[in-house]
Amino acid sequence: MSSCNNSIPQPLVFILDGIPGLESSYGWFSVPFFLVFIITVIGNVTILYIIRREKSLHEPMFLLLAMLSVVDLSLVGVTVPRTLAIFWLNAKEISFNTCLTQMFFIPSFYVMESGILLAMAVDRFVAIWNPLRYTTILDNNILVKMALAVVARAVAVLTPAPILAKSLGSFRTHVIAYSYCAYMAVVKVACGDVSNHIVYGLMVVVASVGFDLFFIILSYGMILHAVFQIQSWEARSKALSTCGSHLCIIALFYSPVVFSVLAQILGYYMAPHLQIIIDNLYFLVPPMVNPLIYGARTKQIQERVLRILHCHRDQG
């Protein structure tokens, strides 16, 4: 139960407090945020351009990578500009309806990315388990169904968030100590019994990130089992190397979530500004690093990037 002696009715406008306690450093914080945004846009647009133009890359692994790039661009598009507006312009006001919209789309894109990472784990399993039928099993129809399932799951899981938030009638304050309208951040400033909202928040984590991470681990267990059935050490090494990029992305994507959950379970107190910074890492680091990892570890993408740079150099 929330203690509300001086509660206010549902406000028309919330105030996003950014990163409380670090207001004097906003100028410095804006630099990495802006650089991450630029690198993310350039990297993911390049990946999409190369996959679209290079017909040899029109296979399941790269088409899933293209889906990941679209979601990454969407994720930074709905988070970083708003945060930069707080840092640069002190634009902290956000209408209640805009807050509800942000509350739906930001976690939706995050859940979609988690779903695509699971689809990519399935892709690697099929490629190693049955390489001769790889493109037959994961044909375009299956990939479309996977994409629709990823989107449908995100919509189904996150649609209740703005509806439940809209039902909150009174608040202790209209100031949200966060850089964006997070569902739980809004619930924390609400009055009355919010236990149902907390249970829903936990269910979202379990039904999305928890579900995906469990089946990703299961997929890689089956991948390792299939790899160790291969007699040749060289063939084993080659099979495992195809999973390297995906494993790097998984580690980057899920590490902040696992760290936050473990910190709460173990009762580790985390300063509010540190918690907000870690939460922002969810949405900043993976979208920036994903194209860099695949660009560095995928020969076809490397060759195409070098060819583009070589052409521009010749024209200059």
Side-chain angles (χ1 to χ4, degrees):
M1 296 286 287
S2 300
S3 176
C4 296
N5 294 325
N6 298 305
S7 64
I8 59 171
Q10 189 179 93
L12 295 175
V13 174
F14 278 119
I15 303 295
L16 295 175
D17 214 15
I19 307 177
L22 298 176
E23 288 84 357
S24 60
S25 302
Y26 279 178
W28 292 107
F29 273 108
S30 69
V31 175
F33 271 75
F34 180 69
L35 289 176
V36 164
F37 181 71
I38 296 300
I39 293 169
T40 300
V41 171
I42 292 173
N44 284 287
V45 168
T46 301
I47 290 288
L48 288 170
Y49 174 78
I50 290 171
I51 292 174
R52 183 175 181 274
R53 292 294 297 269
E54 197 69 38
K55 291 186 178 179
S56 64
L57 298 180
H58 290 182
E59 57 181 63
M61 182 178 78
F62 295 106
L63 294 176
L64 287 169
L65 177 58
M67 293 181 204
L68 189 66
S69 289
V70 170
V71 172
D72 282 342
L73 287 169
S74 303
L75 190 54
V76 296
V78 297
T79 53
V80 178
R82 182 77 212 187
T83 305
L84 288 175
I86 294 172
F87 290 161
W88 286 342
L89 307 173
N90 200 35
K92 295 184 175 184
E93 289 191 357
I94 183 170
S95 71
F96 188 76
N97 288 332
T98 303
C99 180
L100 296 179
T101 303
Q102 207 177 50
M103 190 185 295
F104 171 77
F105 280 105
I106 292 177
S108 289
F109 289 130
Y110 185 82
V111 169
M112 286 180 202
E113 180 153 353
S114 181
I116 292 171
L117 290 180
L118 173 58
M120 293 172 91
V122 173
D123 165 80
R124 290 300 82 208
F125 169 69
V126 174
I128 291 171
W129 173 65
N130 199 340
L132 297 178
R133 297 188 60 226
Y134 169 55
T135 54
T136 305
I137 295 171
L138 293 177
D139 59 14
N140 288 341
N141 286 334
I142 294 296
L143 291 178
V144 169
K145 288 176 182 177
M146 280 183 170
L148 291 174
V150 165
V151 174
R153 195 267 300 263
V155 172
V157 169
L158 273 309
T159 295
I163 297 172
L164 289 171
K166 185 80 172 176
S167 69
L168 295 169
S170 59
F171 295 81
R172 288 184 284 110
T173 176
H174 69 303
V175 177
I176 300 174
Y178 234 68
S179 56
Y180 59 89
C181 260
Y183 175 73
M184 290 309 299
V186 173
V187 169
K188 281 180 182 178
V189 298
C191 293
D193 185 1
V194 295
S195 56
N196 290 339
H197 297 267
I198 294 171
V199 170
Y200 165 72
L202 292 172
M203 286 177 59
V204 169
V205 174
V206 172
S208 54
V209 175
F211 176 90
D212 294 340
L213 191 54
F214 172 79
F215 281 101
I216 285 170
I217 292 170
L218 182 64
S219 295
Y220 271 97
M222 296 169 71
I223 285 170
L224 288 174
H225 177 74
V227 166
F228 285 110
Q229 300 299 312
I230 302 171
Q231 299 299 319
S232 166
W233 279 98
E234 185 180 350
R236 285 185 191 180
S237 177
K238 185 177 179 181
L240 287 173
S241 69
T242 64
C243 302
S245 299
H246 186 237
L247 284 170
C248 289
I249 288 174
I250 287 170
L252 279 167
F253 184 81
Y254 290 108
S255 292
V257 182
V258 172
F259 175 77
S260 292
V261 171
L262 286 176
Q264 291 178 23
I265 291 173
L266 298 174
Y268 174 74
Y269 172 76
M270 195 180 301
H273 65 270
L274 183 59
Q275 181 66 57
I276 293 169
I277 290 170
I278 290 174
D279 287 351
N280 274 282
L281 291 179
Y282 296 175
F283 310 119
L284 291 174
V285 177
M288 177 187 71
V289 177
N290 291 349
L292 299 179
I293 290 174
Y294 269 95
R297 295 183 60 91
T298 307
K299 186 179 178 182
Q300 299 99 310
I301 293 177
Q302 283 180 15
E303 290 174 350
R304 184 69 185 187
V305 170
L306 291 173
R307 205 182 312 161
I308 291 170
L309 293 175
H310 184 70
C311 288
H312 281 299
R313 194 178 303 163
D314 288 345
Q315 290 173 4

